[in-house]
Amino acid sequence: MDTTPPSPPPPPYQAVLDEVAPRLRRLRARRGLTLAALSAETGISKSTLSRLESGQRRPSLELLLPLAGVYQVPLDDLVGAPEVGDPRVRLTSHPLARGGTFVPLTRTPGPLQAYKMIITDRGDAPDHRTHEGYEWLYVLDGRLRLVIGQHDLVLGPGEAAEFDTRVPHWFSSADGRPVEILSLFGRQGERMHVRAKPLA
């Protein structure tokens, strides 16, 4: 019975390193350079260059930088660095039950969730709601009327409020035009420590 432990899997970047040698051979062939000529231009010995191109020598930054300079290519072209993924997040809007829309900004589950909301005019009569959690609001554009318990507030761009959502609350556009806000909602009562003072 063979008790030899299995070989560990190659590191994820091994395939990238394996491609360096053939890339170097192709670049030198395209430039029509001999190993002697390349050695003279880079200061790297012919034997080291030969071992790099055959895969017997590990590529290092001190070896690849002079080669990139001679070949006039970015370092990424020598190592075939993988392309960076598209950083854009595809957002989907959803209707709010009491008017307006919201877009989830948080892509992973967790105690804090972020939303962008557009709140429309919901009339003048507050329809208070309560639920578990803690909420932080930041007004991006427009004017938000926020009623929390006995407080009746109007927030403009750059103003924020935080509140325990177990306190009866309601919000709407303050002037009939849609208002754009950022909302951080914590189900476990996380606090952002930013407050809006009631209007005098």
Side-chain angles (χ1 to χ4, degrees):
M1 179 177 173
D2 186 6
T3 58
T4 307
S7 301
Y13 52 80
Q14 187 62 54
V16 173
L17 291 177
D18 290 344
E19 277 299 306
V20 173
R23 283 173 185 275
L24 294 176
R25 287 197 302 271
R26 287 194 297 270
L27 279 168
R28 186 168 62 82
R30 271 190 229 133
R31 299 296 193 278
L33 292 171
T34 64
L35 282 174
L38 187 58
S39 175
E41 287 200 51
T42 60
I44 302 170
S45 71
K46 285 195 301 182
S47 63
T48 299
L49 289 170
S50 177
R51 289 188 355 241
L52 268 176
E53 289 189 3
S54 65
Q56 296 173 1
R57 172 76 186 257
R58 280 260 197 207
S60 66
L61 203 54
E62 64 182 3
L63 295 174
L64 293 177
L65 283 173
L67 290 169
V70 169
Y71 294 140
Q72 296 184 333
V73 297
L75 193 58
D76 283 358
D77 285 5
L78 297 184
V79 298
E83 292 184 12
V84 175
D86 187 343
R88 292 173 294 183
V89 178
R90 312 295 180 184
L91 302 177
T92 305
S93 64
H94 306 277
L96 285 166
R98 289 175 285 162
T101 59
F102 75 96
V103 177
L105 301 177
T106 312
R107 302 178 70 185
T108 55
L112 272 181
Q113 296 294 310
Y115 303 91
K116 181 177 178 181
M117 296 183 180
I118 297 176
I119 308 297
T120 55
D121 187 354
R122 295 172 171 175
D124 294 324
D127 177 17
H128 290 91
R129 300 294 171 96
T130 62
H131 50 86
E132 287 294 321
Y134 212 89
E135 190 159 1
W136 179 87
L137 300 175
Y138 179 83
V139 179
L140 295 168
D141 187 47
R143 289 164 52 81
L144 179 75
R145 182 182 175 201
L146 175 62
V147 180
I148 305 170
Q150 301 303 312
H151 300 290
D152 196 334
L153 314 168
V154 174
L155 283 71
E159 292 189 288
E162 65 167 351
F163 56 95
D164 186 329
T165 54
R166 291 172 297 183
V167 175
H169 60 279
W170 173 85
F171 44 83
S172 174
S173 165
D175 56 13
R177 293 180 298 124
V179 56
E180 191 173 339
I181 66 173
L182 285 179
S183 169
L184 295 182
F185 178 73
R187 293 188 181 280
Q188 303 304 320
E190 291 81 359
R191 298 171 63 107
M192 302 300 117
H193 305 294
V194 180
R195 298 184 189 278
K197 294 180 180 177
L199 296 177

